[in-house]
């Protein structure tokens, strides 16, 4: 089965600083990877997905993710974090007909 | 275009009671899903429907049943609720299950508390 892991439960950064949310994957075959964000009391919103061949993926709200095959990682990044980026972030991998999600990382951006 | 909608938003049940969670999508998607979200565990798939007329079990189907009423609607039923089913339930839809790059779109969720 395919799986992802998010090694950090929480990430705290100051507004204006770079933000990185880590994700590692374990798959057999080609990985199909996704990032979602969940704001308080809301559903999940799609941010971006990995397309084979493009190691740097650009998504919504200024986020991007870097695919690294040798490190089996798909870290989410934003060059300059905003207070409004405070949310719960999920990495996911396609596993047959479903998405397998990581446990989530809570991001807090302080003003 | 409302996307994926869910009702109710919040529900309290007593152990043993039954209820149905409703989900509808207006994106003409073929596939629909039910997930549950528990703290520290991400989202886990309960059931999915790859297309109208089909349903299949996910990771955690025990205690649940589903109905794909038509292309738009996919309901989740708890026949005899248990405290372990206290969770937040999300419905999602996508154009076609199994496509590796297809994106799932989520509803706002239903918070269920079983006492």
């Amino acid at each position: 089965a395919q799986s992802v892991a998010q090694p950090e439960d929480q990430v705290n950064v100051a507004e204006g600083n770079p933000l990185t949310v880590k994700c590692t994957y374990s798959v057999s075959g080609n990985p199909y990877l996704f990032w979602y964000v969940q704001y308080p009391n809301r559903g999940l919103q799609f941010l971006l997905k990995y397309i084979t061949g493009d190691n740097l993926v650009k998504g919504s709200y200024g986020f991007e993710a870097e695919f690294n095959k040798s490190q089996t990682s798909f870290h989410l990044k934003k060059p300059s974090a905003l207070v409004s980026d405070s949310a719960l972030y999920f990495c996911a991998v396609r596993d047959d007909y479903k998405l397998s999600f990581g446990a989530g990382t809570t991001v807090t951006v302080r003003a | 275009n409302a996307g994926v909608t869910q009702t109710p938003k919040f529900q309290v049940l007593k152990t043993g009671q039954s209820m149905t969670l409703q989900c509808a999508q207006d994106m003409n998607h073929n596939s629909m899903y039910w997930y549950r979200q528990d703290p520290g565990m991400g989202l886990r798939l309960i059931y999915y429907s790859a297309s109208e007329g089909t349903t299949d079990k996910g990771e955690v189907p025990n205690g649940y049943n589903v109905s794909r009423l038509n292309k738009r609607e996919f309901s989740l039923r708890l026949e005899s609720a248990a405290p372990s089913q206290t969770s937040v339930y999300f419905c999602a839809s996508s154009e076609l299950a199994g496509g590796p790059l297809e994106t799932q779109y989520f509803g706002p969720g239903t918070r269920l508390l079983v006492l």
Side-chain angles (χ1 to χ4, degrees):
Chain A
Q2 327 287 44
S3 65
V4 290
Q6 295 178 244
E8 298 166 319
D9 292 336
Q10 290 199 329
V11 170
N12 298 305
V13 298
E15 189 172 34
N17 282 1
L19 169 63
T20 298
V21 187
K22 296 180 180 177
C23 174
T24 58
Y25 65 87
S26 174
V27 303
S28 54
N30 292 322
Y32 300 108
L33 299 160
F34 300 77
W35 275 102
Y36 283 83
V37 61
Q38 184 180 28
Y39 297 102
N41 299 313
R42 302 287 296 276
L44 275 71
Q45 295 181 31
F46 169 74
L47 279 178
L48 51 82
K49 61 187 175 187
Y50 170 65
I51 299 174
T52 304
D54 294 329
N55 289 343
L56 187 63
V57 181
K58 294 194 182 296
S60 307
Y61 313 122
F63 283 94
E64 58 189 25
E66 185 173 6
F67 175 75
N68 187 316
K69 187 173 183 179
S70 63
Q71 297 184 5
T72 61
S73 66
F74 188 55
H75 299 334
L76 181 70
K77 299 182 179 184
K78 187 170 184 178
S80 178
L82 301 172
V83 172
S84 57
D85 293 328
S86 298
L88 181 58
Y89 291 79
F90 289 101
C91 180
V93 63
R94 169 152 299 287
D95 183 4
D96 195 15
Y97 283 94
K98 67 180 176 71
L99 290 175
S100 289
F101 287 85
T105 299
T106 299
V107 170
T108 301
V109 182
R110 60 185 184 277
Chain B
N1 188 336
V4 180
T5 57
Q6 293 182 234
T7 55
K9 286 187 170 57
F10 181 72
Q11 183 72 45
V12 179
L13 292 178
K14 294 180 180 177
T15 297
Q17 287 185 316
S18 62
M19 79 161 294
T20 300
L21 282 64
Q22 307 286 356
C23 173
Q25 52 89 13
D26 62 2
M27 296 176 281
N28 200 35
H29 284 169
N30 290 293
S31 304
M32 298 184 75
Y33 311 80
W34 276 106
Y35 291 88
R36 59 177 288 172
Q37 182 182 25
D38 301 294
M41 301 186 72
L43 278 75
R44 292 179 293 169
L45 184 68
I46 304 170
Y47 271 92
Y48 68 96
S49 170
S51 60
E52 186 179 355
T54 68
T55 60
D56 286 283
K57 295 179 180 179
E59 296 175 79
V60 289
N62 291 345
Y64 305 96
N65 285 300
V66 290
S67 295
R68 183 74 183 267
L69 305 171
N70 48 55
K71 191 172 185 179
R72 288 188 64 248
E73 298 172 289
F74 188 39
S75 63
L76 178 72
R77 182 160 179 83
L78 287 70
E79 291 290 352
S80 178
S84 61
Q85 294 178 305
T86 294
S87 188
V88 182
Y89 292 85
F90 288 100
C91 178
S93 71
S94 65
E95 286 190 28
L96 186 62
L101 297 176
E102 55 115 39
T103 299
Q104 293 184 17
Y105 296 90
F106 286 79
T110 295
R111 293 182 178 274
L112 177 65
L113 175 62
V114 183
L115 301 174

